[in-house]
Amino acid sequence: MKYFYGFCILFLFVNFTANSQNYTLVVHGGAGSISNEMPAEMQQRYIETLDSALKIGAIILENGGTAIDAVEKVIVYFENCPLYNAGKGAVFTWDGKNELDASIMDGSNLMAGAVAGITRVKNPIKAARKVLEESPHVMLSGDGANAFASEKGLEMVDNTYFKTSKRYESFERQKSLYVKDKKGTVGCVVLDKQGNLAAGTSTGGMNLKRWGRIGDSPVIGAGTYADNNTCAVSCTGHGEYFIRLGVARDIAARMEYKQIPLENAATETIDKLTSIGGFGGIIAVDGKGNPVMKFNTTGMFRGYLKSDGTKFVGMLE
Ligand code: ASP
């Protein structure tokens, strides 16, 4: 009996120390037709901002912060950076407005919050977190979601805040050619030192979207999912396909039901996405801190950082 208790204490200690030392942070800034033809200076800006996002998350996690806090803060950084199709710099709807979607999920308790089609909240990911923590609902949309965020004291802006001249010029060009471009959505998945997983995604959606179109990003199970038992996932790409496959939850379900590693589960799901003609990518992390970044496009802005110092930042295949 004495040995049994000794073993239990050792087991708990090993488990505790394993969890209390490791963290992993993975980010994406959208997938799509990204090529080396992009001006070097622009490539550099993407690399620098991805790197800054990783640093912001690492400081929180290094100090014992929670996965969900790291996800929110990293996504706020991306939303404030006009390079990305989230928050300031979001793409335009057919009518020349910005409508934003975001979601966040806590893998420790399966709580989730999302906002869709919002037009006046400076940081949509903060509104998603408020839905998670301060409402009995999972998803709020449109004017109701704007009103909820305002009631909760979040910073509200005029819709023109999101407009950047660069994005507006490409909107006018694309509208005349009817080109639908999607890249620039942002996402973050985290394993924290306590062993908890969280995921979040934020986007302006597809440019030239109409009729209140909502993509996968705010849909829990499609664009975002987190469960401590399996993994945390954030997606980017052609949202309609991601919704139809329930991509984020599909990856977690494959791990759970088939007892396969995250890497294999993600490969299977992306293969299925490809087989139905969907394009995009995912970032994910499992409970052991293994990062996975997969896409079937020519590129995806992405990066990861682990507590052991392993790091990657890139955009091409
Ligand atoms: N998935 C987003 C949407 O369909 C767009 C993107 O990720 O680029 O709204």
Side-chain angles (χ1 to χ4, degrees), residues 240-268:
E240 278 69 10
Y241 291 86
F242 283 72
I243 292 174
R244 286 157 61 197
L245 284 187
V247 165
R249 170 65 193 156
D250 188 60
I251 294 172
R254 284 174 194 273
M255 283 183 76
E256 191 175 339
Y257 303 153
K258 296 175 85 176
Q259 294 291 306
I260 56 174
L262 172 59
E263 171 80 29
N264 303 23
T267 302
E268 287 184 7

Side-chain angles (χ1 to χ4, degrees), residues 36-56:
N36 237 336
E37 284 164 26
M38 181 188 286
E41 186 196 317
M42 188 60 114
Q43 291 193 31
Q44 188 57 28
R45 282 180 66 201
Y46 275 109
I47 295 295
E48 278 167 13
T49 50
L50 289 165
D51 202 56
S52 300
L54 291 175
K55 282 189 186 130
I56 288 167

Side-chain angles (χ1 to χ4, degrees), residues 182-183 185 203 205-206 213 215-217 236-239:
K182 305 170 290 291
K183 65 179 178 291
T185 292
T203 189
M206 269 167 83
R213 179 264 187 191
D216 61 310
S217 308
T236 175
H238 196 154

Side-chain angles (χ1 to χ4, degrees), residues 286-300:
D286 66 16
K288 293 198 183 90
N290 296 309
V292 168
M293 307 183 291
K294 287 208 181 290
F295 48 98
N296 62 7
T297 48
T298 56
M300 179 165 82

Side-chain angles (χ1 to χ4, degrees), residues 27-291:
V27 297
H28 75 74
S33 49
I34 299 162
S35 85
N36 237 336
E37 284 164 26
M38 181 188 286
E41 186 196 317
M42 188 60 114
Q43 291 193 31
Q44 188 57 28
R45 282 180 66 201
Y46 275 109
I47 295 295
E48 278 167 13
T49 50
L50 289 165
D51 202 56
S52 300
L54 291 175
K55 282 189 186 130
I56 288 167
I59 290 169
I60 295 166
L61 296 167
E62 196 61 54
N63 290 312
T66 62
I68 196 147
D69 268 345
V71 165
E72 181 183 342
K73 299 288 178 332
V74 166
I75 292 184
V76 164
Y77 168 75
F78 279 131
E79 287 176 343
N80 292 343
C81 174
L83 272 187
Y84 297 93
N85 174 21
K88 189 164 184 68
V91 297
F92 290 89
T93 63
W94 183 261
D95 301 318
K97 294 209 176 76
N98 299 107
E99 292 176 0
L100 306 135
D101 306 329
S103 64
I104 194 160
M105 184 160 183
D106 184 341
S108 70
N109 53 16
L110 302 185
M111 293 294 284
V115 286
I118 58 172
T119 50
R120 296 196 304 109
V121 185
K122 183 180 177 200
N123 290 110
I125 196 71
K126 289 189 181 178
R129 177 119 186 232
K130 288 280 182 204
V131 175
L132 184 159
E133 287 176 348
E134 297 179 31
S135 89
H137 307 299
V138 168
M139 189 193 283
L140 300 180
S141 69
D143 287 344
N146 285 326
F148 169 82
S150 170
E151 261 174 46
K152 295 295 170 189
L154 292 186
E155 187 174 349
M156 305 301 285
V157 291
D158 189 86
N159 193 246
T160 53
Y161 159 81
F162 301 107
K163 179 175 176 174
T164 60
S165 49
K166 189 169 172 293
R167 199 69 93 174
Y168 198 73
E169 278 160 26
S170 73
F171 156 71
E172 286 181 318
R173 204 173 45 246
Q174 286 163 340
K175 190 166 177 181
S176 66
L177 301 169
Y178 204 78
V179 174
K180 291 207 176 170
D181 177 26
K182 305 170 290 291
K183 65 179 178 291
T185 292
V186 302
C188 178
V189 296
V190 168
L191 167 75
D192 67 21
K193 285 185 174 182
Q194 293 73 41
N196 292 320
L197 296 173
T201 311
S202 181
T203 189
M206 269 167 83
N207 75 332
L208 304 184
K209 63 187 179 182
R210 297 174 95 168
W211 308 300
R213 179 264 187 191
I214 304 293
D216 61 310
S217 308
V219 179
I220 297 300
T224 302
Y225 197 73
D227 179 354
N228 276 10
N229 289 322
T230 50
C231 60
V233 184
S234 169
C235 304
T236 175
H238 196 154
E240 278 69 10
Y241 291 86
F242 283 72
I243 292 174
R244 286 157 61 197
L245 284 187
V247 165
R249 170 65 193 156
D250 188 60
I251 294 172
R254 284 174 194 273
M255 283 183 76
E256 191 175 339
Y257 303 153
K258 296 175 85 176
Q259 294 291 306
I260 56 174
L262 172 59
E263 171 80 29
N264 303 23
T267 302
E268 287 184 7
T269 303
I270 292 292
D271 286 349
K272 182 122 193 242
L273 180 75
T274 309
S275 76
I276 64 162
F279 285 98
I282 65 99
I283 54 166
V285 62
D286 66 16
K288 293 198 183 90
N290 296 309

